[in-house]
Every structure is written in structure tokens, then in C-alpha cells.
Amino acid sequence: MVKLIHTLADHGDDVNCCAFSFSLLATCSLDKTIRLYSLRDFTELPHSPLKFHTYAVHCCCFSPSGLILASCSTDGTTVLWNTENGQMLAVMEQPSGSPVRVCQFSPDSTCLASGAADGTVVLWNAQSYKLHRCGSVKDGSLAACAFSPNGSFFVTGSSCGDLTVWDDKMRCLHNEKAHDLGITCCDFSSQPVSDGEQGLQFFRLASCGQDCQVKIWIVSSTHILARSTEHQLKQFTEDWSEEDVSTWLCAQDLKDLVGIFKMNNIDGKELLNLTKESLADDLKIESLGLRSKVLRKIEDLRTKVKSLSSGIPDEFICPITRELMKDPVIASDGYSYEKEAMENWISKKKRTSPMTNLVLPSAVLTPNRTLKMAINRWLETHQK
């Protein structure tokens, strides 16, 4: 049975998003406002509408406790509100100034992710309201975001159809073309799926797109988190069991090959050593297109293993580019950045810190020679 119980018509333009807490309903609109309603009788709260944004509000979401509401807008800001009195707690400006399309709290309320039209994604500290980390996708604007139920990683979806998995340090754990057209939404199931034999825990993720498809993915937090160190990385690849390989095949939309791989006892080490000849001669995969797809997936895996096994220290990574620094400089916020990236940041954006989002006391950049020497020593050791 479906029965309409109430209609709300307070907004003056298109309503872009709605969200529930345990006691409230929040809505946001092209009319630049956010409105709050009581679930008891759907009356609007006395301190509603919430007004600050100067352009359309695209998304709103409650913290798990329901005490804080986040809203994001074309004006390039994400705002945190106290839902009990409507007080504005913080205004967090997207470092690039780009329109913010989506925002989402972590399950423990400690972090808030915001994704923008230029592909930048920022992880904010929801207690201090300061920027924690930032990254970006290569193409498209960000349109979807979801945290895993245990909060150890989160996923973003772009208008180009890319699905990206990030950890809490904004390291890209996985990226692939999930939909031919743009991704419109993604979400995790709150209930994990356990593998009875291996004792592993998986999460189901659904993504939907403009290609008229909904795709269901399985994500192993154990394997994703295992990429953080070189020792654990070995567990993630060469030490995969045959069941782990089967799980990987299913995640790559190659479940029809599970039987063939099991029959040939393909474990993680064997997987990384497969070639076009062995796929054709040993595994008897007749389809050239299917062999090519498998090889591409394996090559992607080899590339991730090679890059992650280098174990680049986090302090050698520029917070803006998320790449190894070549010419590090110290900014007036005390953090080190790649010189060219920071110069572009200061010249094109508001003069705020990429790490703290506070105004920089000075635009002076000082060469960090000590860090540059450390990076060069590390490169000499790891490029032999």
C-alpha cells in the first residue's frame, strides 16, 4: 500500500535533495535555501529556512547523530548547521572555489567529504572544521559519494562514469570506468557479507548511472586496507588464495571465468604471471576479446602493485597534487608543497592554506632543502 500523507511546497524553485534524521526532514533547493521539518507533523521549524548560500544548494545530509546538517552549493562552499537552533557552525570553502555538488558524513561523524564540479574531493575534519586532505579525479565533476559502513574508506562517482575508492589519507585505492555515462548515485549496504571459509568481510556497493544501469559491487575492506604497507601489499597480491582470485574476478565482471581459474588452481601469484599465451593455451579461453579484457585487468593490478610497493612516505607527497614532490617549499602555514602547485594555488585561488583552509599570513614560499635531500636519497635507494 502506498498513501500520500503530506505535501510540502515551501521552496520557490526546484528541490535538489532531501535527507532524514531520526526526527527531522531536510530539503534544499535552487532557491538557495535549506528547510527543516519536524517528522511529528511536518511543520517547518521556527529557525527554518536556513540561509547563507548565494547560489543553488545541491545536496544536504545529516551527521549520524542528527545534530549537524551539512549543505553544499554552487557558491563553492559547504556549510555546517546546528539543527537544534539553526546556527551556522562553519563555512568550509572548496579550495578550488568550484561548485560543490555532493557532501557526505563518515559513519562516526569525524569527517565530511565534499565533491566539486572540477573533480576535486576534500576530506574535512568535522570537529575542527579544517581541511584534512584533498584529491581529485582526472575527468568529470563529482556527483556521488558514500562512506563504507566501517568508515575505513569512501567512494566517489563522477559525471564521466568513473568510480573511485579512497582511504582516509586521500590515497586512491581503486578506480575504474563503472558506467558508460555519468554516475548519478552510489551507496553501501549497511550489512557486511562474510566469507564463511576465509572469514573475510565484504561490503556491497550499488552504483547507478545515466546508462540506464544499476551495478552491484563487492568491496573487501580487508584487501583495500592491506595496501597500506609493503608487507600487507604482498598479502593483497601474491598471497591471494584461489577464493580471493575468484572474488577479484567477480568484482571485475569476469565471474564466468571463475570455474576455469579454479580448475587450473590460479592463486594470486599465478594470476600476476598470466600471459596472453597462457590464457589461450593453458586456460583455453578462446575469445580474443575476453583474453584481452583479462590481460587489461591483470595489468592494472600489476601497475597498482608496482606503485604501492614503492612505499612512498606520506611526507614526500604534495597535499595538492598527491604526487611525489620534486621541488618542495614551505608555505606560511608550516606545511610543505610542490613549488609550482603552491604558486598556482596562491595565484588562482583565495590565499588560504590547502591544509587548514585558514588565510595564509604570507605568500612567501621558502625552499625546503632538507626535505628535497631526503626525497632524493629515497629515490636513489628505490630506483636502483
Side-chain angles (χ1 to χ4, degrees), residues 70-374:
S71 62
C72 58
S73 165
T74 300
D75 62 16
T77 67
T78 301
V79 178
L80 297 184
W81 308 86
N82 183 323
T83 59
E84 295 182 326
N85 56 23
Q87 178 185 353
M88 190 165 57
L89 301 175
V91 178
M92 301 179 295
E93 298 181 1
Q94 199 76 5
S96 63
S98 179
V100 187
R101 302 296 189 192
V102 63
C103 56
Q104 187 68 45
F105 279 100
S106 63
D108 61 1
S109 298
T110 59
C111 295
L112 176 76
S114 64
D118 64 352
T120 58
V121 56
V122 175
L123 201 58
W124 302 93
N125 184 315
Q127 272 74 52
S128 66
Y129 313 136
K130 294 181 179 180
L131 187 150
H132 175 55
R133 298 281 181 180
C134 59
S136 65
V137 297
K138 292 182 179 179
D139 300 301
S141 63
L142 293 179
C145 179
F147 277 88
S148 64
N150 63 1
S152 60
F153 56 92
F154 68 100
V155 172
T156 57
S158 79
S159 60
C160 289
D162 287 347
L163 198 66
T164 306
V165 184
W166 309 85
D167 69 3
D168 60 356
K169 292 186 177 180
M170 290 303 301
R171 291 177 295 200
C172 177
L173 303 179
H174 184 79
N175 174 267
E176 71 174 84
K177 186 78 169 180
H179 293 267
D180 290 336
L181 301 175
I183 294 176
T184 54
C185 186
C186 62
D187 198 16
F188 280 96
S189 167
S190 60
Q191 298 300 316
V193 180
S194 297
D195 182 331
E197 295 181 4
Q198 300 293 325
L200 300 177
Q201 194 174 71
F202 301 89
F203 295 106
R204 285 172 291 196
L205 171 74
S207 64
C208 51
Q210 294 173 326
D211 55 3
C212 304
Q213 294 183 345
V214 176
K215 295 188 177 183
I216 312 300
W217 312 79
I218 53 172
V219 184
S220 167
S221 62
T222 302
H223 287 163
I224 285 179
L225 295 176
R227 303 182 189 198
S228 59
T229 68
E230 188 170 355
H231 170 69
Q232 290 174 319
L233 179 68
K234 185 174 184 295
Q235 291 182 323
F236 180 71
T237 51
E238 293 182 358
D239 286 351
W240 268 1
S241 66
E242 293 177 23
E243 287 299 322
D244 292 333
V245 173
S246 297
T247 299
W248 178 80
L249 287 169
C250 292
Q252 306 305 315
D253 199 22
L254 294 168
K255 63 180 179 181
D256 292 341
L257 297 179
V258 169
I260 296 175
F261 275 61
K262 281 188 174 182
M263 188 183 304
N264 288 272
N265 305 117
I266 304 297
D267 57 15
K269 190 171 183 179
E270 292 287 341
L271 177 68
L272 291 175
N273 291 323
L274 287 177
T275 64
K276 60 181 180 181
E277 290 80 13
S278 59
L279 289 174
D281 300 337
D282 300 335
L283 273 62
K284 309 298 183 185
I285 299 176
E286 297 180 358
S287 168
L288 175 61
L290 188 55
R291 292 200 303 270
S292 298
K293 181 177 181 179
V294 174
L295 283 174
R296 286 197 305 271
K297 297 294 185 180
I298 293 174
E299 188 55 40
D300 288 344
L301 186 59
R302 289 183 187 130
T303 301
K304 291 184 177 72
V305 170
K306 185 177 180 180
S307 63
L308 289 170
S309 63
S310 63
I312 301 176
D314 195 53
E315 59 268 25
F316 294 174
I317 302 295
C318 173
I320 299 174
T321 65
R322 299 305 302 161
E323 296 176 354
L324 183 68
M325 286 185 278
K326 298 177 181 178
D327 190 8
V329 294
I330 303 173
S332 57
D333 60 358
Y335 291 93
S336 292
Y337 305 91
E338 178 63 34
K339 181 180 179 181
E340 183 179 357
M342 193 57 184
E343 286 176 342
N344 289 336
W345 181 283
I346 293 174
S347 65
K348 295 179 181 179
K349 282 92 176 175
K350 296 179 180 178
R351 207 171 81 179
T352 55
S353 164
M355 293 298 290
T356 67
N357 207 36
L358 299 175
V359 176
L360 291 170
S362 168
V364 174
L365 301 177
T366 305
N368 191 336
R369 295 185 177 88
T370 301
L371 179 58
K372 186 173 183 177
M373 290 173 60

